[in-house]
Amino acid sequence: MHSFVHMHQPVTYIRMVAGAAFLALSAVGNADAQEREADTGHAPIRFRDITSLNFYGQANEGVLRFDDGEETSDYGIVANGNAVSRAGLSLTTDYDRGWTFFANFELGFLARPAREKTQIGSSRVDDGSDRTETRKLEASLSSPRGGRFWIGQGSMASDGSSEHDLSGTGLIASSNVSNMGGGLFRTRQGALSDVSTAAAFNNFDGLGRQFRLRYDTPTTKGVTFRVSYGTDVVNNNKGDLQDVAVSYGGNVAGRNLSAGLAYAHDKFRDAETISGSVSALDPGTGLSLTVATAFRQQDRDARYHYLKLGLQRDWFSAGRTALSIDHYSGRAIVKAGSTSRSWGIAAVQRMDNWNTDLFFGMRRYDYDDSSDAFQHGVATMLGMRIGF
């Protein structure tokens, strides 16, 4: 059951901030234990000098509120959809002549995802309070000259094509702006509509994680080509999934650069998508620029553009601070003629000794179509990610 307060009543918001502060202080109080867990998780167990076993994961939670223009909803503790809580186990075996076998099993924990919360409950049929997801169940065989062959549940070639981001704030502010959470838009008359922030904003980031066959070429001067063929066995969607992608990671004129471009065909949804992103970081000044865009042809032609400016500095001995401001503009995401706009600010503070990130984000969502006029919404999230 959600509680509502008007904007001129700050008590609930203060409680929300206090709750996040309590989470942060709890992490500080258990810093030694968390650091030991992190060290244990990142130090692989080795067998016969050629095989290593590594356990890893993260907990990523925050507190979320959403002002829809009439009332403010406090959702309490939710899962940060930009990097969900997860745990995984990987095995690596090195053979002669540079060949490597790799296997990975990873579960995601999707209790109360931020993007699915609305003023009247979850946007899914179930509440999502106890859901888990098999993110990865895959194996690969690779060599420096032969490239890498993948099989199983995992990233398609186009996955991540819209999310190359060196700003340091991708934990709370990515091109998939709806991940921070929000709710239903209200009409100008004050009634709740059936359009949610999750539906109105999309970054068309390739085909995600599916059961697939995939091949990656060897990386040459920072460039890698990928191709994959798969199907959505998790949701039992019948239809072929095919995509190709190219990515780059390296240094150009003294700037760090990460970029990707992909084409994807989803036969089940009869959709074709071209998506891409590029991010550049100047190590000297800490300034970064990130751009992402995509075009999807389905029953209508939908597209978006995303721009982010970032700054990273070592202001505190605990770790690097990252700040950013961004803007999203989309057309026909919900229906033909609809427009979706968003701007946001974000801050991420790294705590190196605890393997922890503290984050804050505020985002405004605007939506419009020919059916009615809508009020804007503002989402605020404060939380932390702890890695192990």
Side-chain angles (χ1 to χ4, degrees), residues 307-330:
L307 176 68
K308 177 196 279 189
L309 300 176
L311 174 66
Q312 299 180 55
R313 292 290 173 83
D314 294 316
W315 284 316
F316 307 103
S317 60
R320 173 149 285 204
T321 304
L323 307 172
S324 69
I325 182 169
D326 64 20
H327 182 264
Y328 173 106
S329 177

Side-chain angles (χ1 to χ4, degrees), residues 1-4 74:
M1 192 74 178
H2 302 298
S3 61
F4 303 105
D74 291 285

Side-chain angles (χ1 to χ4, degrees), residues 42-53:
H42 290 288
I45 302 171
R46 300 198 64 85
F47 302 93
R48 299 173 61 182
D49 295 328
I50 64 169
T51 298
S52 62
L53 191 66

Side-chain angles (χ1 to χ4, degrees), residues 3-19 65 72 74:
S3 61
F4 303 105
V5 296
H6 294 290
M7 283 299 292
H8 64 270
Q9 293 178 329
V11 175
T12 307
Y13 185 63
I14 293 173
R15 289 175 178 170
M16 184 191 76
V17 175
R65 75 175 342 215
T72 300
D74 291 285

Side-chain angles (χ1 to χ4, degrees), residues 237-303:
N237 290 335
K238 306 299 182 182
D240 297 339
L241 302 171
Q242 306 165 15
D243 58 0
V244 294
V246 59
S247 64
Y248 173 81
N251 189 281
V252 177
R255 274 75 173 177
N256 298 335
L257 188 68
S258 178
L261 180 66
Y263 165 79
H265 180 209
D266 183 340
K267 189 174 181 180
F268 174 77
R269 295 177 176 84
D270 191 23
E272 294 181 89
T273 305
I274 296 176
S275 56
S277 57
V278 59
S279 186
L281 169 67
D282 183 347
T285 63
L287 292 171
S288 65
L289 174 66
T290 300
V291 178
T293 188
F295 172 81
R296 171 169 289 182
Q297 188 175 48
Q298 202 170 1
D299 57 341
R300 62 186 182 277
D301 293 341
R303 66 189 67 194

